[in-house]
Amino acid sequence: MDRPIVERASCRQRLNCDPEKVSFSQLRDPNCRDREMVGGAVSRQLASDRRRSIGYLLLTLVVSVLVPLISLFSWQAIEAAREKRAAIELKRTEVARLISLRLDSEIMRYFGVMEALTSVLETSDGAVASLADIKARLVSDANISNVWPFSATGTVEEDCKAPRNCGFEKDLVNQALKGNNAVSGIWEVSPGDTRILLASPPSAGSGRRVGVIMELRPAFLSRLVFADSGMGTDWLVGVVDQTNHFVARSLNPERRVGGEARPELAVVAAGNADYGSFENKTLEGVDMANSFQRSHLTRWTTVTAVPQTVLEGPLRSSLFLVLTVSGAILFLTLMMVVSQARRIAESVRDLSEYAITLTDGRPFVGGAFRIAEFDAVRSKVEGTVSNTARFAAVAATSGDAIVSVSPTGIVLSWNRAAEDMFGYKSEEIIGRSNHTIMPPESHHELEAERARVLKGETFSYETLRRHRDGQLIEVSITSAPIYAPSGGIIGISSILRDIRQRKMDERHILDLMRELAHRSKNQIAIIQSIARKTAMSAESLEEFGEKFELRLRGLSITFDVLSQRDFKNANVRDLVDLQLGGFVDDRNPQLRIEGPDVVLGSAYIEALGLALHELATNAVKYGAWSTNAGVVCVTWSYAPSPAAGASGANEFELTWREEGGPAVVAPDETGFGCVILNSIVARSVRGVSRIEFAAEGVSWRVAFQSDPN
């Protein structure tokens, strides 16, 4: 490539013309006597550029690496804290359930005692034993304060009534006479002295006519049921009756049992829920998170409370760990960055001195650089002169078109690849305007390119260029300024690459992505509809899971059929073979398939796939394929539709018919399968579909118009 000869001006003259625009080539000018002046101009030019320090760049690099890692560490720590909290909440629920079961067990033990008493309360002539005899049998149990019988009519003798009127006796007797064990609430006889009543009904099966009421001191419950329950040391467990009074409490039971609990517990105790959770503040003023469990035997509510500080402890510990570790890492990193930045800065200064000595033609007397890459730079710079010839050879033999033009757009050089790409020989194009290979609508690009290159920019863009025969070529262009030895810009160097094939590939990929996005949205909508309708008709979670999995399997088969033809259409026979092949072999005499080769659009194939899957599933469970004698006939036709007129649409009709199976009884209620066969398919294909439950077998027909493929 010929380079224009540029007259060398003296260093002083260049500075006078534009003292800020100097380069290292000026330092090599033998006419330049005032190197300090030149160096000052260079320093001002470098200072005017917005550049970042080595330390800043290193810190940015390290932070860009550390921030995602610290974020990941923080996320994992927080997730671990959440898992610990969930484990505590699960244990809290289990403790409430365990204590409630223990309470029931203790109460049932006394009901067993009462049931045993009824066998000895009556004498052989049917008379009731004396109250003294009853108490004598129970004197060994300090938890029993009183016991008395009542008759099958609910009568309690005056001398056997409870010495204190608690108001529960009558209600308990009425419940017991209905055949139920009954448990009262708690009441306070005197400060610190509480009671509960149990009522055991007369045994109807044994013919006995006597029931028993037992009065218990509930203090033993607080001693027994909370032991070895697994509750934490800071936890609090309480048991309240339906009137919101404590029956048992793990903390201060001697003061709290019989007393009224917090209003939040009253809402839970009077509610209908058997279990759940809530938050409140205890009588001691501690914020708690609670789980409760209601007993079906006593209707008492067991509440397990964990302090909020215990639940929040793992998260606070995780946050402290994250902050401590992250701070230490950032501090150590900053120290390392400062140290390495100084080391790199020293090597940069050495490299700068080397560049200055090289431009002066003097040998560099310094030793090896402390950074290996800078030594590699020095080797590269020293080989620049010898590489120039090799670069020229590369440009001549490059597979990309390499072109240079003057600032006004006149072609200065033209390599072999440019000749092949545009059809012009170098001698035909050099000296002509660059407009020769530009379509008229792209002529403005030359002026925009010139303006950017004169600013010293190197940039890339994609555009159109014109072949000699007029054909438009899509190209990628990278343009850069060509500098004269004096530092001025004397031309534009451009590398042009033919990107027609890439553009075709990109357009094809874009079309595929749009089709995939459209197909994915349709599939998601279908899956959502299947899930919603299946959930509405399923009676249990297991039934929902089984039906939903089968329907998704049928949908995936349809998806496989469509994927073989870019999701645009599919052959009906392929769909029938794959959908029914999972139920019976196509050579099985129980399956008869007949119809022409028909290719339908994806929407029709999806609808038919859903219908075939539902019909096959029903045939296996209840229809023709539930016996060895049943036969399923699937037939279809495809012919021009008389009603289509000039549109040329064809009428497609598919029929499913079952024979030889069990006698069919039409269902009283239609499930989601019938909705698919009667409604969803018809709407999807914009046609008609109908299922019939004839006695000899189920039949289904769908018909619609489809454009010919």
Side-chain angles (χ1 to χ4, degrees):
M1 179 186 305
D2 295 333
R3 302 182 63 182
I5 298 176
V6 180
E7 182 179 358
R8 298 170 57 92
S10 68
C11 175
R12 182 76 64 179
Q13 288 173 334
R14 286 197 298 272
L15 290 176
N16 289 337
C17 294
D18 195 350
E20 295 301 322
K21 295 184 179 179
V22 295
S23 65
F24 284 117
S25 62
Q26 293 173 328
L27 297 176
R28 301 178 61 184
D29 192 339
N31 297 321
C32 184
R33 303 302 182 190
D34 194 347
R35 295 190 177 276
E36 291 182 0
M37 188 173 185
V38 175
V42 172
S43 299
R44 288 192 299 273
Q45 181 177 349
L46 294 177
S48 65
D49 294 337
R50 293 186 177 180
R51 299 180 182 179
R52 302 296 185 182
S53 66
I54 293 173
Y56 175 86
L57 295 177
L58 287 176
L59 183 61
T60 302
L61 175 62
V62 171
V63 169
S64 65
V65 174
L66 287 181
V67 167
L69 294 178
I70 292 176
S71 300
L72 178 61
F73 170 66
S74 303
W75 175 77
Q76 291 180 335
I78 293 173
E79 285 299 311
R82 289 176 178 172
E83 291 178 0
K84 291 181 181 178
R85 175 174 181 139
I88 295 174
E89 291 176 342
L90 178 61
K91 184 177 180 181
R92 182 186 69 194
T93 302
E94 289 299 317
V95 168
R97 188 179 65 85
L98 175 62
I99 292 176
S100 180
L101 292 175
R102 286 186 176 181
L103 281 171
D104 289 351
S105 177
E106 288 297 321
I107 297 300
M108 284 303 300
R109 183 169 67 85
Y110 282 98
F111 274 124
V113 173
M114 296 166 67
E115 196 171 320
L117 284 177
T118 59
S119 65
V120 298
L121 285 177
E122 297 185 37
T123 61
S124 59
D125 57 359
V128 179
S130 67
L131 184 61
D133 293 339
I134 299 172
K135 292 184 177 181
R137 298 178 184 275
L138 303 174
V139 69
S140 62
D141 195 330
N143 299 324
I144 302 175
S145 61
N146 202 351
V147 62
W148 59 91
F150 62 91
S151 67
T153 62
T155 303
V156 180
E157 297 182 7
E158 289 298 327
D159 60 344
C160 293
K161 287 186 178 179
R164 308 166 190 84
N165 183 15
C166 64
F168 291 123
E169 298 97 331
K170 185 176 180 180
D171 291 340
L172 290 175
V173 169
N174 290 336
Q175 292 183 49
L177 291 177
K178 296 177 181 179
N180 301 319
N181 290 327
V183 182
S184 74
I186 194 167
W187 82 94
E188 193 172 40
V189 177
S190 62
D193 189 8
T194 55
R195 299 286 190 276
I196 58 175
L197 294 180
L198 310 181
S200 179
S203 179
S206 63
R208 300 189 184 97
R209 304 185 305 277
V210 178
V212 176
I213 295 179
M214 181 180 289
E215 185 181 64
L216 295 177
R217 299 181 180 92
F220 75 97
L221 295 175
S222 298
R223 295 193 304 271
L224 293 178
V225 299
F226 300 139
D228 299 327
S229 63
M231 57 185 288
T233 56
D234 297 331
W235 294 20
L236 176 61
V237 182
V239 182
V240 295
D241 60 16
Q242 289 183 290
T243 64
N244 197 34
H245 288 78
F246 282 112
V247 177
R249 197 170 190 262
S250 62
L251 180 63
N252 297 329
E254 63 280 353
R255 292 178 50 201
R256 300 300 186 189
V257 171
E260 188 173 2
R262 295 279 297 180
E264 297 86 355
L265 272 69
V267 175
V268 173
N272 296 322
D274 290 337
Y275 58 88
S277 60
F278 65 97
E279 296 180 356
N280 78 322
K281 188 185 293 290
T282 66
L283 294 171
E284 289 79 13
V286 180
D287 291 325
M288 294 286 191
N290 311 287
S291 292
F292 69 89
Q293 180 76 39
R294 191 187 312 282
S295 169
H296 291 284
L297 173 65
T298 63
R299 303 307 297 171
W300 296 342
T301 302
T302 301
V303 180
T304 304
V306 178
Q308 292 284 9
T309 54
V310 174
L311 289 176
E312 296 170 358
L315 181 59
R316 287 197 299 269
S317 300
S318 297
L319 291 177
F320 176 77
L321 177 64
V322 167
L323 292 176
T324 302
V325 174
S326 301
I329 291 175
L330 289 176
F331 176 76
L332 293 176
T333 301
L334 182 60
M335 295 297 99
M336 293 178 61
V337 166
V338 171
S339 175
Q340 295 301 321
R342 290 175 178 173
R343 182 180 184 134
I344 296 174
E346 292 176 359
S347 296
V348 169
R349 285 194 294 270
D350 291 343
L351 183 61
S352 176
E353 179 64 24
Y354 167 72
I356 293 175
T357 58
L358 183 63
T359 56
D360 284 343
R362 296 181 288 111
F364 181 64
V365 295
F369 294 134
R370 299 177 64 182
I371 297 178
E373 287 78 4
F374 287 0
D375 269 330
V377 170
R378 179 173 64 178
S379 299
K380 295 294 184 182
V381 172
E382 289 173 348
T384 299
V385 176
S386 61
N387 287 338
T388 301
R390 289 195 293 270
F391 288 155
V394 169
T397 59
S398 172
D400 294 330
I402 301 178
V403 178
S404 64
V405 298
S406 69
T408 58
I410 302 301
V411 178
L412 302 176
S413 65
W414 189 266
N415 72 342
R416 178 65 60 84
E419 294 180 351
D420 297 336
M421 183 179 296
F422 297 107
Y424 291 99
K425 296 295 184 181
S426 59
E427 58 271 16
E428 295 176 318
I429 194 69
I430 291 178
R432 298 175 61 180
S433 172
N434 195 24
H435 288 174
T436 304
I437 61 171
M438 299 175 69
E441 61 272 15
S442 301
H443 287 175
H444 65 282
E445 292 179 2
L446 182 59
E447 187 60 32
E449 184 179 41
R450 177 178 179 275
R452 296 184 65 177
V453 169
L454 290 178
K455 294 178 181 179
E457 295 185 27
T458 298
F459 56 94
S460 299
Y461 62 99
E462 296 179 356
T463 185
L464 294 175
R465 288 295 180 260
R466 186 173 58 186
H467 190 270
R468 185 170 189 168
D469 61 9
Q471 178 186 0
L472 294 180
I473 305 172
E474 292 177 300
V475 295
S476 170
I477 301 179
T478 299
S479 296
I482 300 174
Y483 290 95
S486 61
I489 297 174
I490 59 172
I492 304 170
S493 173
S494 297
I495 300 176
L496 297 89
R497 179 169 297 171
D498 189 341
I499 60 172
R500 283 176 290 184
Q501 185 60 46
R502 176 169 68 83
K503 285 295 185 178
M504 290 175 60
D505 294 341
E506 289 176 354
R507 286 190 286 268
H508 180 64
I509 292 173
L510 182 60
D511 290 341
L512 288 179
M513 292 300 293
R514 288 173 178 169
E515 178 63 24
L516 180 60
H518 175 70
R519 184 65 46 211
S520 298
K521 291 178 181 178
N522 288 345
Q523 294 295 327
I524 291 172
I526 291 173
I527 292 172
Q528 288 175 333
S529 176
I530 290 175
R532 183 171 58 256
K533 296 296 185 179
T534 303
M536 292 172 61
S537 62
E539 297 182 357
S540 66
L541 183 60
E542 290 77 11
E543 181 182 353
F544 167 78
E546 180 181 355
K547 289 183 176 180
F548 186 59
E549 181 180 359
L550 288 175
R551 284 168 176 151
L552 284 185
R553 190 178 303 164
L555 187 62
S556 68
I557 291 174
T558 303
F559 190 83
D560 289 340
V561 174
L562 288 171
S563 66
Q564 298 174 5
R565 302 175 69 114
D566 291 338
F567 300 98
K568 295 179 180 179
N569 49 44
N571 193 296
V572 175
R573 182 173 296 276
D574 294 340
L575 176 67
V576 173
D577 289 343
L578 285 178
Q579 282 289 357
L580 303 186
F583 298 92
V584 297
D585 193 295
D586 58 359
R587 293 171 293 183
N588 193 316
Q590 287 188 280
L591 174 61
R592 299 173 186 171
I593 300 174
E594 182 178 351
D597 285 337
V598 178
V599 175
L600 296 178
S602 58
Y604 303 115
I605 293 297
E606 289 175 355
L608 291 176
L610 284 174
L612 290 172
H613 175 78
E614 292 297 327
L615 290 166
T617 302
N618 183 74
V620 169
K621 290 183 176 180
Y622 316 107
W625 286 340
S626 64
T627 67
N628 293 329
V631 176
V632 172
C633 299
V634 181
T635 61
W636 64 89
S637 62
Y638 191 61
S641 173
S647 64
N650 291 336
E651 180 80 17
F652 178 84
E653 180 177 340
L654 183 142
T655 302
W656 171 288
R657 187 176 70 260
E658 299 182 20
E659 301 173 352
V664 175
V665 178
D668 294 334
E669 296 181 0
T670 57
F672 180 45
C674 290
V675 173
I676 290 176
L677 297 171
N678 285 337
S679 301
I680 294 178
V681 173
R683 288 198 303 268
S684 299
V685 301
R686 296 187 297 277
V688 294
S689 63
R690 185 65 180 172
I691 185 171
E692 296 182 358
F693 297 94
E696 59 275 11
V698 173
S699 64
W700 178 74
R701 173 184 173 273
V702 62
F704 54 86
Q705 289 186 358
S706 170
D707 294 334
N709 288 282

